[in-house]
Structure formats: structure tokens, C-alpha cells
Amino acid sequence: MGILLPKVYPILDSSCIPASGREAFLERLGLSMTDAGVRLLEYRNKIGTDAEVLADARILRSAMSSVKLIMDDRVDVAMAARFDGVHVDAGDLTPTDARFLLGEEATVGTSASDEAELLAALNSGADYVAFGPVFPTATKQTAARPIGIEGVRRFRAVAGAGPLLVAAAGITLETAPGILEAGADAVAVAAGIFRAADPAAEFRRWMAVLE
């Protein structure tokens, strides 16, 4: 696990993208987020067609040429769009298979919602493990129960000091410092940034508080 993660792991969920003017919106967003200092961004679209996701991804890749871009789930689309890595969950390709397809330099993440899944994820060859939900979330459907701050501490205790852990779901700027103090290396943020009137300014605000 040799990658460096910023304290804020922004996730652009497709629910935050307007139906009209999509291409122009993504181009403006990508450029503004790059200017704001984003070094890593995940694009997540659970319901779009491969063609739609690929079109979105290519716009982001063009607008964010200096940013490490991670594709949620779709390894083939990540390859076609020349993304830097993928985040794979249960039901997707394994981290090992994703890395085989994308190459050894790719960044590969996976998820865990309980301690048994965490142990499996730590042995999967992934570069980092996103865990949670820490709090209830509206941008990703999950049947798992929120683990809260104490759950963050438990996950860190199970993982030990070395593995990179990204806390996810329902995190606000008010709760993020406590989550990092409890043992997360980074906080994944979707709605908290991308549903703001100015996502780039909101990202800067998060980084000013957490970095």
C-alpha cells in the first residue's frame, strides 16, 4: 500500500450531475476542482449506461489531466477513459483481477461494512479500504447499519496501524475531524461537497480545516 491519500477523498456521484447541460457542467466542474487543489477524485455512477459513464469519464479526464481519477465499479470503462484506478465492491471484479487488467501502477480500492469484510479486504491486495457507513447517507444505497465514531475506532483497531482506511457515508465537515482522530486516514465526501453551490470552494473549505 504505497499510495498517498489526501484527507478529503471527493466522490462525484451521478446524482449530483444535472440532466441538462451535462457536458458543460462536468467540464467546468473538473477544471474548477483541479484549480482548487483536488489531487484525487472518484466518479460513481451506479445507474448510467456504459456509454454515458464513458462519456462523462472522458470529459473529466480531459478537464482533470493532473488529477488521479478513480472509477467506481467499471474496470472496462476506467480502461477506456484512461482513469488511474478503480474502486471495486462485492459483485465487481476482485482487486487482484482489476489490477491485472489496469496494470501494477493502478490504484485499486475496495470496501468493507463490517469487521469480517475488513479482514477480507485487507488481504485482497487493494491499496486502500473504504469502510462504513459511518452515518446514514442519501447518495449510495446500502443495507449496512451506520457504525458511528466508535465503529471507526474498531475498524482501525482491527486493521492495525498500516493499512489505509477511508471512512465513508454521511460525513460532514463538523464530524470529519473526529473521524480522522478516531483512526481514518481520509474521509470520503460526496453530497457534502458536490451538492454545495460552489463545490470547488467547498472543497477548499474542507481542506483548510482538515489538512
Side-chain angles (χ1 to χ4, degrees):
M1 296 189 178
I3 69 167
L4 294 175
L5 284 179
K7 296 293 186 187
V8 181
Y9 182 115
I11 300 177
L12 174 58
D13 189 84
S14 60
S15 64
C16 299
I17 303 173
S20 61
R22 190 181 190 96
E23 181 175 345
F25 172 85
L26 284 170
E27 183 176 14
R28 288 195 305 271
L29 180 67
L31 291 171
S32 66
M33 295 301 284
T34 302
D35 288 344
V38 170
R39 305 195 308 273
L40 179 149
L41 179 138
E42 179 181 324
Y43 172 53
R44 183 174 69 198
N45 189 330
K46 296 289 190 184
I47 60 174
T49 65
D50 284 347
E52 176 184 274
V53 178
L54 179 57
D56 290 350
R58 283 177 166 160
I59 296 168
L60 291 171
R61 178 75 285 170
S62 176
M64 308 182 79
S65 59
S66 63
V67 175
K68 180 173 287 190
L69 294 179
I70 307 297
M71 175 68 66
D72 181 65
D73 294 347
R74 308 188 193 205
V75 178
D76 53 345
V77 179
M79 294 171 67
R82 293 177 171 79
F83 268 36
D84 302 285
V86 291
H87 185 91
V88 289
D89 298 311
D92 303 324
L93 290 180
T94 66
T96 299
D97 289 337
R99 194 181 303 282
F100 175 79
L101 291 171
L102 290 169
E104 288 300 318
E105 298 303 313
T107 297
V108 178
T110 192
S111 295
S113 59
D114 58 39
E115 292 169 24
E117 290 180 0
L118 175 61
L119 289 172
L122 293 173
N123 293 302
S124 69
D127 293 302
Y128 67 90
V129 180
F131 69 98
V134 179
F135 302 115
T137 176
T139 58
K140 184 178 181 181
Q141 292 188 350
T142 176
R145 297 179 64 181
I147 63 172
I149 296 289
E150 287 306 312
V152 176
R153 292 193 175 93
R154 289 197 307 272
F155 271 64
R156 174 49 73 190
V158 170
L164 291 176
L165 299 183
V166 180
I171 297 169
T172 66
L173 187 51
E174 290 67 36
T175 59
I179 291 168
L180 294 174
E181 185 277 332
D185 295 292
V187 290
V189 189
I193 288 175
F194 291 104
R195 288 187 179 162
D198 185 340
E202 187 65 15
F203 174 81
R204 287 191 179 98
R205 193 164 76 96
W206 279 70
M207 292 298 289
V209 171
L210 300 180
E211 281 287 332

